[in-house]
Amino acid sequence: MQQISNATKSKSMMNELQELNEQLKKFEKKGIDRRRFFKILAAAGVITTMNTSNAHAFSSKAKGKIVIVGGGAAGISMAARLKRWLDEPNITLIDPSDRQYYQPGFTLIASGVYQPDDVWKKQEDCMPSGINWVKDSVIAVDPIWNQVTTAQNGKIAYDYLVLVPGIQMNWNQIEGFDYSKLGTGNAHCIYDFKGAQMTWKAMREFTEKGGKGVYTDTYTKHKCGGAPKKICLLTDDYARKHEHRDHIQLNYFTAEKDLYDVKYFTKRLKEIYKERNVPITLNTRVKGIDLERKQVHFEKIETVGDEKKVTSFIEDYDFLHFTPPMSAPDFVKEAELGFPDGKLADGGWVMVDKETLVHQKYPNIIALGDVAGTPTSKTSAATRVQVPIAAKNLIALMEGKEPTEKYNGYAACPIVTDYGHVLLCEFDYKKEPQISFPFSLLDMSKEQWAAWLLKVYILKPLYFYGMLKGLA
């Protein structure tokens, strides 16, 4: 077990301030001075949500051993919140990682906007002080005996469990593929740190040489559903800016029945694809990839009357960006913490109440982030909104009270449409737009430059200096 000292945290804070200063300098080079930058932050609600006094406004004398499984966005943010809000916190966080990645930045690595080192920090520098960090992997959860089993440290008991291990990418569920083959046959994926770097190199070479580009999503629930759409449109824009668009062909294949499932934003997104001459094929999933022949094996699945019709076909490619099927981690599925039936059953997503984020069978378990079985998109923005709700509901349970905080399904997906514009999709469980101020003053059914500023310059500092600190 490791405890992060105050001296280490002070050194980390100095490094953070230095990096923030460097970020501001980059912002100024784009023609926006620091005063205007902070006005944008204030207008977007970032400064107020990062106000330390607000973070300390809530406190509780509740006691109990809390074990957090997972040290990503949800895990560290929950640890930071609970550490601030409990008078006598007893928190153990289990995670094996050496690095904390800002995963929404992978798209910007793959398009040359960020450098690889821009999106990660040492995990020890992100870990809240005063908690027990077990640098290990969880391999089993026993909700009956209230304990988890780790790979190296045996069994660890808990009174309350925060289950936030993230998502599992099932590369080998694509015939002819496994993770070791990423990049082989010019088949790429930006959901992976290494994959994003390879994509940037391959995308430039592809646009210069010409040929056919194929872009796909997947048939399972997956994190950041906008990612494959973004890299497709960024490839198009990169090619146009370098006068290579005439000799490349781009094709987008989605397993869904429409390009996007929030109508308010779908119309404009489809218009953009049409304007860019990128054909869209619906109801189509990847079955396998022939890396040697550079061919994708697809299945188009349609319902005709009461029958399901499956049509197999093959597409040749010169450049491929694909999305692997995703699910809850195997140890979560094996613990039978998921839904027994329904749309969320197949992936093993944790069976939580969609509003309180409390497990429907085991009330001393809270789950949020990508692993949670909630009918909304799996995004960093969704996690940021879920964290304070889940933390307060957990504390209510520890106090012997009913959890009353409710999550409305808010999620945000900033779909980058070109180098300089983003279609910022914000919505709730009802798939109704939930536009944040000051963007509510703009027509957010269309791509906006202001949303590009948010994506490129604001969200990453907000993640590292606000969300992971329990301040945003």
Side-chain angles (χ1 to χ4, degrees), residues 25-26 60 72 127 166 213 242 247 304 324 327 358 411 427 447 449:
K25 289 179 180 178
K26 291 179 182 178
S60 171
M127 201 67 63
H242 291 81
H247 61 271
V304 181
S327 70
V358 177
F427 50 91
E447 62 275 28
W449 173 73

Side-chain angles (χ1 to χ4, degrees), residues 227-341:
K229 301 175 183 66
K230 300 174 193 179
I231 195 60
C232 178
L233 293 174
L234 282 165
T235 304
D236 167 85
D237 193 48
Y238 181 87
R240 291 178 189 276
K241 282 179 166 54
H242 291 81
E243 300 182 350
H244 296 317
R245 186 61 177 91
D246 289 344
H247 61 271
I248 65 169
Q249 177 187 351
L250 304 180
N251 299 267
Y252 191 84
F253 296 84
T254 175
E256 302 298 325
K257 60 184 180 181
D258 207 344
L259 182 60
Y260 202 57
D261 63 352
V262 184
K263 290 182 179 180
Y264 182 81
F265 307 103
T266 303
K267 179 182 177 182
R268 178 56 190 150
L269 190 58
K270 291 168 76 171
E271 287 175 352
I272 292 171
Y273 270 75
K274 186 176 181 179
E275 291 166 3
R276 307 280 185 84
N277 193 28
V278 181
I280 303 164
T281 303
L282 307 176
N283 302 308
T284 301
R285 62 176 63 178
V286 176
K287 182 180 181 183
I289 304 173
D290 187 328
L291 298 171
E292 186 175 346
R293 292 191 174 96
K294 289 188 177 178
Q295 293 179 330
V296 189
H297 292 250
F298 283 110
E299 289 183 336
K300 188 174 180 66
I301 301 176
E302 300 172 289
T303 301
V304 181
D306 295 330
E307 296 184 1
K308 183 178 289 186
K309 179 183 177 183
V310 179
T311 305
S312 300
F313 65 96
I314 296 173
E315 287 283 336
D316 296 314
Y317 71 85
D318 296 292
F319 172 89
L320 170 66
H321 181 275
F322 69 98
T323 305
M326 302 185 197
S327 70
D330 288 338
F331 74 85
V332 174
K333 291 185 281 187
E334 291 163 2
E336 298 183 351
L337 293 169
F339 289 85
D341 50 44

Side-chain angles (χ1 to χ4, degrees), residues 190-472:
I190 63 172
Y191 283 94
D192 175 79
F193 180 60
K194 181 177 72 173
Q197 296 171 67
M198 291 191 290
T199 300
W200 171 226
K201 180 176 182 294
M203 187 257 274
R204 285 176 291 166
E205 293 175 351
F206 163 62
T207 55
E208 290 172 7
K209 293 178 181 178
K212 181 179 179 180
V214 170
Y215 300 78
T216 82
D217 59 18
T218 189
Y219 58 92
T220 64
K221 284 187 72 68
H222 51 287
K223 59 183 175 181
C224 191
K229 301 175 183 66
K230 300 174 193 179
I231 195 60
C232 178
L233 293 174
L234 282 165
T235 304
D236 167 85
D237 193 48
Y238 181 87
R240 291 178 189 276
K241 282 179 166 54
H242 291 81
E243 300 182 350
H244 296 317
R245 186 61 177 91
D246 289 344
H247 61 271
I248 65 169
Q249 177 187 351
L250 304 180
N251 299 267
Y252 191 84
F253 296 84
T254 175
E256 302 298 325
K257 60 184 180 181
D258 207 344
L259 182 60
Y260 202 57
D261 63 352
V262 184
K263 290 182 179 180
Y264 182 81
F265 307 103
T266 303
K267 179 182 177 182
R268 178 56 190 150
L269 190 58
K270 291 168 76 171
E271 287 175 352
I272 292 171
Y273 270 75
K274 186 176 181 179
E275 291 166 3
R276 307 280 185 84
N277 193 28
V278 181
I280 303 164
T281 303
L282 307 176
N283 302 308
T284 301
R285 62 176 63 178
V286 176
K287 182 180 181 183
I289 304 173
D290 187 328
L291 298 171
E292 186 175 346
R293 292 191 174 96
K294 289 188 177 178
Q295 293 179 330
V296 189
H297 292 250
F298 283 110
E299 289 183 336
K300 188 174 180 66
I301 301 176
E302 300 172 289
T303 301
V304 181
D306 295 330
E307 296 184 1
K308 183 178 289 186
K309 179 183 177 183
V310 179
T311 305
S312 300
F313 65 96
I314 296 173
E315 287 283 336
D316 296 314
Y317 71 85
D318 296 292
F319 172 89
L320 170 66
H321 181 275
F322 69 98
T323 305
M326 302 185 197
S327 70
D330 288 338
F331 74 85
V332 174
K333 291 185 281 187
E334 291 163 2
E336 298 183 351
L337 293 169
F339 289 85
D341 50 44
K343 292 182 178 180
L344 296 169
D346 289 343
W349 313 111
V350 180
M351 185 175 64
V352 294
D353 180 275
K354 71 176 187 178
E355 293 183 328
T356 65
L357 304 175
V358 177
H359 197 276
Q360 294 185 33
K361 184 177 180 181
Y362 303 104
N364 64 335
I365 296 178
I366 293 266
L368 62 150
D370 291 345
V371 79
T374 55
T376 193
S377 294
K378 299 182 180 298
T379 69
S380 177
T383 299
R384 184 171 69 88
V385 174
Q386 291 169 9
V387 166
I389 293 169
K392 285 192 174 182
N393 282 340
L394 175 57
I395 291 172
L397 291 169
M398 295 171 68
E399 293 174 337
K401 301 176 183 177
E402 288 294 316
T404 57
E405 298 291 322
K406 294 185 178 182
Y407 171 56
N408 71 350
Y410 173 88
C413 182
I415 299 179
V416 183
T417 56
D418 59 53
Y419 289 86
H421 293 88
V422 165
L423 183 64
L424 181 57
C425 307
E426 298 179 278
F427 50 91
D428 59 15
Y429 277 138
K430 298 178 181 179
K431 303 298 182 183
E432 295 292 336
Q434 293 287 317
I435 311 300
S436 301
F437 183 84
F439 298 107
S440 55
L441 302 175
L442 305 173
D443 181 1
M444 297 309 291
S445 67
K446 296 180 172 60
E447 62 275 28
Q448 297 288 348
W449 173 73
W452 166 265
L453 296 182
L454 178 75
K455 170 69 176 175
V456 176
Y457 298 103
I458 296 177
L459 292 181
K460 182 162 67 75
L462 175 62
Y463 178 80
F464 284 117
Y465 311 136
M467 183 174 173
L468 296 186
K469 306 299 181 186
L471 299 172

